[in-house]
Each structure stands twice: as C-alpha cells, then as structure tokens.
Amino acid sequence: MSKSHYKEVGGQANSSLAPGLKQRHVTMLSIAGVIGAGLFVGSGHAIAAAGPAVLISYLAAGTLVVLVMRMLGEMAVASPDTGSFSTYANRAIGPWAGFTIGWLYWWFWVLVIPLEAIAAAAILHSWFPAIDTWMFALSITCGLTLTNLYSVARYGEFEFWFALVKVVAIIAFIVLCAIALVGALPNTELSGFGALVSSNGGFAPNGYGPVLGALLTTMFSFMGTEIVTIAAAESHNPSKQIARATNSVIWRIGLFYLVSIFMIVSIVPWNDPALATVGSYQRALEYLQIPHAKFIVDIVVLVAVASCLNSAIYTASRMLFSLAKRGEAPEFLKKTTLAKVPRQAVIASTIIGCVTTIINYFAPEKLFSFLLATSGAVALLVYLVIAVSQLRMRKKLLAHGHTLDFKMWLYPGLTWAVIVFIVGALGFMLTLPAHQGEVLATAGLALAIVATGFAVKRRETRTTWRPEVHT
C-alpha cells in the first residue's frame, strides 16, 4: 500500500466513511453474524448442563435477541449511524450513556480479538506443533488487520467468504443429521427423536434450574447480531439493508441455532462426557461415523474464529471512530484515509488486542481472567441500553417529524418486558458464584468509564470557558 493511499484529503483530517459494502456483503454479514465458535464448540457445555431442555434456553435467548434487534432496527432505519446504539443512547438517554456503552462495547470487542486469535492459533498449532501458538495468534491478528486497513470493501469480501463457508457447513450438517435420524444413513443406528424425552433422564434430566444457567451461556452466543447495523451504515442503502437484516433475524436464529442444536441433542446423549471437551458438532459427526470428523470441524471452527476476529477488529474500530467523531475519544481517531478507512482507530484497537494476547501468554493467568471478567455482562448492558433508548427515542423521532417505516412490535409493552427481563437476568447472575464476578467487574468498569466521562467533560468546560473582561 502506497503512502498516497493513506494521504489525508487536502492535508486535513477527513472524518467520513465510504459506502463500500455491497448488498451481498451486508446480506451475508446479517446471515452469519451470529455464527461463531460458540455454536460449534461452546454449545456442548450448555447441552451438558441442561440436557435436551437447552432448547428452551436457546429459544428464550433467541427471542430476546429478536426483540432487541427489532428495537435497534427501528432506530437504525430512521437514522443509520456507524455508532449504532451508542449514538442512539447519546441522543435518547444522554451523552454519559452513549459514552459509557460505546467504550464498554469497544472493550468487549477488543477482548474478542485475543480470544479468537488464541482459538485459531490452538488449531493451527495442533497441525504445525513446531510453531508456538502465540506466534500464530499474532500473525493471524496482523494479517486480518491489514484487510481492515485497506478498505471496507476488502473487509466485506473477506467476511462474505468466511460467512459463506459457515452457512454451507451448518446447512450440510443439518441435512446430514436429518438423513441419519430418518434411518437413511448407512451403518448408523440412532435412537431417534424419542431420545429427547425418554432416554437418559428425559427432556430436563437436571430439572429446570440449569436451563436458566444455560440461558446465560446461550445469550452471549448471540452477541454480534447487532454488527449489521454498524456495517450497514457503510452501504449504499443503509435503511433498506438494516430493515432486511433485522427481518431475517428470526429465521437465522431458528435455522442455525435451534434446528442444529435440536439435531445434536437428538443424536448425542446429553450426558456424553465428550460433549464438553470436543464440542457438540464434532461429537455428533463421530456418532454418525463420519471420517475425519475432528479435522472437518477444525476447519470450520478455524474459519468461524477468523470471521469473528475479522469482525471484532472492524467493529471495535468503527465504535472507536464514532466515539471520536462525537468528541468522546481522542480526535486523531476520527481521521480517515482516501479509501475512507479509520486507519488510526483500526490500529489502536488492534494494538490493544495484541497486548491482551501477549498478556494471555506471558502474564499471570489471573490478570487475563480479570480482563475477561470485565466484559462478562456487557452483552446484557448493551441490550438494556438499546431497549431504554428505543423507549425514549421513538417519542423524539416522532416529535421531529420522522415517519417510522420500521417499528418495534407492541410498543411500549414489549420494550418494557425486555427491560424487566434483562434486569432480572443481571440480578440472577449476581446470585450465581460462576457469574457474580463478571457482573461486579463489568459494573466496576462501567462506573469507572462514567466517572472518566464526567471528568473529561468538566475539564473541557473549564478549558473552553473564558471570563469576560471589562475595561
């Protein structure tokens, strides 16, 4: 890349983004935005805890995400913005809310960078054991950073093909499982759909308490659905793209999560100890006696984590860029290149991601665990802020003459129901030792960000104010 590519227009800081994403990019982003390693591997932990009743957990979490995306879609269609819910919180609740949730969301995705890089590195290290995992992790991160530095179209192209692989893999898996369950797959003997309710303790073998615990795990699996409202702001017709993506959330979650998990619990006994170690997809393929099941799943998971890492860099940089444009982050972060890429925001986010990757390998384990804990409840806080923002934003939009072409259902009743549910979920997490630390750490970080925001605003006020001089 030449220096001219990064030259800023007229020597001044240019701070606008280009509509470089094509319709197929946004479409595939919206379809595969919720598909991460959590589906292929992490779902095994949820199944092992709740049994077949984990389907209730996925259904409840999926319903919450559909409602939240509907609320976010209403605001985003009316006013597309790369800052998405952070910008809407700023307008509807107050600058402190937009500042806080924007920085929390940025921090969440910055921590996703090392998590996905480490997961990808572990797979590559198993293939090439002579190379250290930390070298793989940093190489992958740097490589995907370059794709984000070039242009948003390059990011969209990479993500399009990553997403396509994930979608094709899941559909093929569902079709294969369906063939096996109806008895059409040779050399395979399965107990069939009856295993859901009659075998190994029935539908809810451990009762319905673990279903609530699994709900928390499944809820975080859907984090990333909202990225399409951020990405669509860089497309040619953002309002149309956002409406289309939001409307497709229901079937996306239904097909990729509910149907695939249904197939897994119909094939693999919930109490199979390998579920939590090798992952649900691999274990199901092993039950179907598919050759090289581990290698096949490793390839799909590698693509999935590369996709998540790519999106993490993109999302973190766009949120940082949006904060800078509103004066809530250092001003240099809002500069863009001739290709309309927020280069400084991309580099800053990636540097922090690389530092946390290094911390994971070379610092005490407790330090990295603490950093992860600070983002543990961010998903629920984001959903809560979206709901409160939509509750207040609709009145403001209508007051300013906006015609809402895309609306939240049963407003304000369903919005209030979502708010109550999320507050209840956060309260429930405080009663669970496994999640209590996450809520407290995230709350502590949020309070620190709020205090920082007020301190910065107070300093700016003192700096800009000048006493009137009388002569």
Side-chain angles (χ1 to χ4, degrees):
M1 285 176 279
S2 65
K3 291 183 179 179
S4 61
H5 176 77
Y6 289 122
K7 185 179 179 182
E8 288 155 3
V9 179
Q12 301 295 321
N14 184 36
S15 58
S16 61
L17 301 177
L21 291 176
K22 299 177 182 178
Q23 180 176 328
R24 64 185 178 88
H25 293 154
V26 179
T27 299
M28 194 56 75
L29 279 169
S30 67
I31 291 175
V34 296
I35 305 172
L39 172 61
F40 299 107
V41 181
S43 56
H45 294 277
I47 296 171
V54 75
L55 289 168
I56 298 176
S57 303
Y58 277 101
L59 180 61
T63 301
L64 174 67
V65 172
V66 168
L67 295 177
V68 168
M69 281 299 295
R70 188 76 188 186
M71 290 184 275
L72 181 57
E74 176 182 295
M75 296 182 287
V77 168
S79 180
D81 192 283
T82 194
S84 189
F85 52 84
S86 174
T87 301
Y88 309 139
N90 187 296
R91 299 171 186 171
I93 304 173
W96 69 270
F99 179 89
T100 305
I101 204 64
W103 278 107
L104 278 175
Y105 191 70
W106 173 82
W107 179 239
F108 175 90
W109 284 107
V110 162
L111 286 181
V112 168
I113 293 173
L115 285 178
E116 302 299 343
I118 292 165
I123 294 173
L124 292 173
H125 178 69
S126 68
W127 297 346
F128 308 100
I131 302 176
D132 292 338
T133 52
W134 69 268
M135 295 179 65
F136 275 127
L138 289 180
S139 298
I140 294 168
T141 303
C142 292
L144 290 176
T145 298
L146 290 177
T147 69
N148 277 271
L149 283 173
Y150 188 76
S151 70
V152 70
R154 183 61 58 88
Y155 158 75
E157 198 63 30
F158 268 79
E159 199 55 31
F160 174 83
W161 291 106
F162 283 152
L164 186 62
V165 171
K166 292 189 290 184
V167 170
V168 170
I170 292 176
I171 292 176
F173 175 80
I174 291 173
V175 171
L176 182 65
C177 290
I179 292 173
L181 285 169
V182 297
L185 192 67
N187 304 319
T188 303
E189 292 184 8
L190 302 171
S191 55
F193 299 113
L196 287 171
V197 294
S198 61
S199 303
N200 300 309
F203 184 69
N206 296 323
Y208 287 91
V211 174
L212 292 174
L215 173 62
L216 300 174
T217 302
T218 57
M219 200 177 298
F220 298 119
S221 298
F222 294 123
M223 190 67 169
T225 314
E226 70 291 335
I227 291 177
V228 71
T229 63
I230 297 173
E234 294 182 72
S235 66
H236 288 283
N237 193 342
S239 294
K240 182 179 179 180
Q241 299 288 4
I242 291 168
R244 179 181 297 171
T246 305
N247 283 328
S248 69
V249 169
I250 297 176
W251 72 261
R252 282 187 280 139
I253 290 177
L255 176 65
F256 298 135
Y257 277 87
L258 291 177
V259 174
S260 62
I261 297 299
F262 175 81
M263 294 295 178
I264 292 168
V265 295
S266 299
I267 292 172
V268 183
W270 69 271
N271 55 357
D272 187 322
L275 265 176
T277 55
V278 304
S280 54
Y281 269 64
Q282 178 180 325
R283 195 61 181 142
L285 291 179
E286 289 172 348
Y287 266 82
L288 299 181
Q289 300 184 39
I290 303 299
H292 312 295
K294 183 181 185 306
F295 181 69
I296 294 171
V297 173
D298 277 352
I299 292 176
V300 176
V301 171
L302 182 61
V303 171
V305 297
S307 172
C308 287
L309 176 55
N310 196 34
S311 291
I313 295 171
Y314 171 83
T315 307
S317 65
R318 269 35 178 200
M319 185 56 68
L320 196 56
F321 167 79
S322 176
L323 287 165
K325 283 199 71 173
R326 300 200 305 265
E328 296 172 349
E331 187 176 359
F332 75 93
L333 294 170
K334 72 178 183 181
K335 296 179 181 179
T336 59
T337 65
L338 283 178
K340 305 297 185 182
V341 174
R343 176 184 55 177
Q344 284 89 336
V346 172
I347 293 174
S349 300
T350 305
I351 286 175
I352 302 300
C354 288
V355 169
T356 51
T357 302
I358 293 170
I359 287 174
N360 174 70
Y361 285 107
F362 300 106
E365 183 179 348
K366 289 184 178 180
L367 177 58
F368 189 66
S369 299
F370 172 75
L371 293 177
L372 292 181
T374 59
S375 68
V378 167
L380 284 175
L381 287 181
V382 167
Y383 295 161
L384 181 61
V385 166
I386 290 172
V388 175
S389 296
Q390 188 268 336
L391 192 66
R392 305 185 66 178
M393 193 76 166
R394 178 181 285 200
K395 296 178 182 178
K396 295 192 175 187
L397 289 170
L398 294 177
H400 285 82
H402 279 277
T403 300
L404 297 179
D405 299 319
F406 192 87
K407 296 181 180 180
M408 172 60 180
W409 304 302
L410 300 177
Y411 173 88
L414 268 182
T415 301
W416 274 112
V418 168
I419 292 172
V420 170
F421 180 85
I422 293 173
V423 171
L426 288 169
F428 179 66
M429 287 179 70
L430 280 172
T431 67
L432 300 176
H435 295 282
Q436 190 178 68
E438 296 175 2
V439 178
L440 295 177
T442 304
L445 179 60
L447 290 174
I449 293 174
V450 171
T452 301
F454 280 116
V456 170
K457 185 63 65 175
R458 187 180 298 112
R459 188 176 65 180
E460 288 177 352
T461 303
R462 290 175 179 174
T463 302
T464 56
W465 181 81
R466 293 289 184 274
E468 186 177 353
V469 178
H470 298 279
T471 58

